[in-house]
Amino acid sequence: SRMLSGYKPKNDVKDSYKVLELEEGCSLDDVRNSYHNLAKKYHPDSSSGMADSRAFIRVEEAYRVVLGDLAAKQKSDSGEEEEDQFKSKSLQHRHYLSFEGVGIGTPSQREKQYMQFRVDRATEQVLEYRQQRLESRYAGSDLSRAQDVRQSKKVKITQAVERLVEDLIQESMAKGDFDNLSGKGKPLQKFSHSPHIDPMTHNLNRILIDNGYQPEWILLQKEIRETIERLRKSIVASRRKLGEPMTLSEQKQWGRVCEQFAEDIRKLNKRVDNFNLVVPILSRQMVHFSTDKEILRARKTYEAVVEKVSDPGMKENRGEEGKRFGWKSSLLRWLKL
């Protein structure tokens, strides 16, 4: 549990002096010395046999009241400059000793609990500020204001649930519920593939790969391969549209096709240059495509296609001739036998 410190001093000045075992009119040094002695005596983390958290809180409260009384007297006597000088002489470590009354346990545990308390308090202040801003913005419209209030309450409830879950986790950790987990005390498996890469680079690469990221040179290589395949198919298709043998007009048309193909190859070679600049592996670099070799390759592909088309016709003719003269050859073979 937490001890919240939203309290205000309830003791009057006389009772505060009695708690500090002092009399009115004492000096500031007497107040500090008395507070030091009582804090060591009643502080929960001290090794004193009289340690008592409630007594320490009363001493802390009385100390604040006495300091305020002395500050008021000093201000009335000396003015504002001496008041600022008096405030600067207050104990710098009392905030560490009390943590505003938050937390229990050792100083380190109380410090962690106090930090969580400050985070929760700041979150609540932010939510309250957002709620007030929404209410002031839509003050003219009751319906919109009600919707925004409900939304702000919903957000506040969500934040409260998250804080409750975090508190439960902290309590379980303090009780030792997580001490028997499998893998406790073993190193994390950060480097499943390459132990020589630094953790930041490994985690960034894993996140990029999981989200479908591809390096620039991979995309360029894929684009170049798809482009050359498309150009090769297009020039073969253009050649098939022309006759065999080509007429004079068809030869001129074929020349224009070859010129356009050469221009496309020139643009593609520029992409190859860009690819060679960004590729990280030297063996993955690509060479330029030759226009003459690609045109020659297209002609060979066209001739292979023409032969495949003409072969079935020749086989059909041979089959018809075999059927026509098959009986004569069979008769001759029988005569020989």
Side-chain angles (χ1 to χ4, degrees):
S1 61
R2 295 177 175 175
M3 293 184 294
L4 303 179
S5 64
Y7 62 86
K8 296 181 180 179
K10 298 181 180 179
N11 297 338
D12 55 8
V13 178
K14 293 182 179 180
D15 293 338
S16 300
Y17 278 104
K18 291 180 180 179
V19 171
L20 294 178
E21 300 177 359
L22 296 173
E23 296 181 357
E24 296 185 11
C26 60
S27 63
L28 179 61
D29 293 334
D30 296 335
V31 175
R32 285 205 301 264
N33 293 332
S34 177
Y35 174 73
H36 277 301
N37 296 330
L38 294 175
K40 293 178 181 179
K41 182 178 180 181
Y42 296 116
H43 197 279
D45 298 329
S46 64
S47 58
S48 175
M50 301 180 65
D52 187 1
S53 59
R54 295 182 180 179
F56 176 74
I57 292 175
R58 288 197 300 269
V59 171
E60 177 74 15
E61 185 178 356
Y63 177 67
R64 293 180 182 180
V65 173
V66 171
L67 285 181
D69 181 62
L70 292 178
K73 293 180 180 179
Q74 189 72 14
K75 182 177 180 180
S76 60
D77 296 338
S78 303
E80 296 181 356
E81 294 181 358
E82 294 185 0
E83 178 189 5
D84 296 336
Q85 183 179 2
F86 177 81
K87 288 183 179 180
S88 64
K89 292 181 179 179
S90 60
L91 287 176
Q92 300 297 324
H93 65 280
R94 71 176 187 273
H95 184 71
Y96 175 77
L97 290 176
S98 64
F99 291 114
E100 297 186 13
V102 176
I104 58 174
T106 61
S108 60
Q109 293 176 350
R110 296 184 64 202
E111 184 178 5
K112 292 180 181 179
Q113 297 172 14
Y114 174 67
M115 295 300 294
Q116 184 64 34
F117 167 73
R118 291 184 61 186
V119 171
D120 297 341
R121 184 171 58 186
T123 305
E124 292 177 356
Q125 292 176 356
V126 170
L127 292 174
E128 291 177 0
Y129 169 74
R130 290 180 179 177
Q131 183 176 356
Q132 292 176 1
R133 186 176 62 177
L134 291 173
E135 291 177 356
S136 62
R137 181 182 299 177
Y138 301 103
S141 177
D142 295 337
L143 180 60
S144 60
R145 183 171 66 249
Q147 292 177 354
D148 293 330
V149 169
R150 286 196 298 269
Q151 184 66 23
S152 63
K153 289 182 179 179
K154 183 178 179 181
V155 173
K156 191 171 183 180
I157 291 172
T158 304
Q159 296 290 339
V161 171
E162 292 179 355
R163 292 197 301 272
L164 177 60
V165 173
E166 182 65 25
D167 293 340
L168 293 175
I169 293 174
Q170 294 294 335
E171 291 180 3
S172 298
M173 293 176 63
K175 293 178 181 178
D177 295 339
F178 298 152
D179 293 341
N180 298 325
L181 295 178
S182 60
K184 181 182 179 182
K186 299 180 181 179
L188 296 176
Q189 298 295 332
K190 293 183 179 180
F191 314 107
S192 57
H193 299 289
S194 177
H196 305 289
I197 192 171
D198 59 284
M200 181 63 69
T201 304
H202 175 79
N203 292 332
L204 288 177
N205 291 338
R206 179 177 54 80
I207 293 172
L208 292 174
I209 291 172
D210 293 342
N211 289 273
Y213 171 79
Q214 293 181 353
E216 182 182 3
W217 65 276
I218 294 291
L219 298 177
L220 280 175
Q221 186 181 33
K222 182 179 179 181
E223 182 182 358
I224 290 171
R225 291 176 177 175
E226 292 177 352
T227 303
I228 191 61
E229 290 297 329
R230 178 175 54 81
L231 292 177
R232 289 170 179 173
K233 291 180 181 179
S234 64
I235 193 172
V236 172
S238 300
R239 180 64 184 87
R240 292 184 63 181
K241 292 179 181 180
L242 303 176
E244 182 64 31
M246 292 185 295
T247 61
L248 183 60
S249 61
E250 290 176 345
Q251 290 179 358
K252 292 181 180 180
Q253 186 177 356
W254 173 248
R256 290 193 295 270
V257 171
C258 292
E259 290 178 359
Q260 182 62 36
F261 182 77
E263 179 65 19
D264 294 337
I265 291 296
R266 185 182 63 81
K267 294 179 181 179
L268 184 60
N269 288 332
K270 288 185 178 180
R271 295 183 186 178
V272 172
D273 293 336
N274 295 333
F275 170 78
N276 292 335
L277 290 175
V278 297
V279 63
I281 305 174
L282 186 62
S283 60
R284 292 294 183 91
Q285 290 190 345
M286 304 176 65
V287 297
H288 285 185
F289 296 96
S290 175
T291 305
D292 297 335
K293 291 182 179 180
E294 293 297 332
I295 293 176
L296 181 60
R297 178 176 180 173
R299 288 178 179 176
K300 291 181 179 180
T301 304
Y302 168 73
E303 292 174 358
V305 172
V306 171
E307 289 179 359
K308 289 182 180 179
V309 173
S310 60
D311 283 344
M314 295 177 64
K315 290 181 180 179
E316 290 178 359
N317 293 333
R318 290 176 182 175
E320 291 178 356
E321 292 178 356
K323 291 178 181 179
R324 186 181 305 171
F325 301 102
W327 64 273
K328 293 182 180 180
S329 60
S330 300
L331 179 59
L332 291 173
R333 281 196 223 100
W334 181 77
L335 292 174
K336 289 179 181 179
L337 292 173

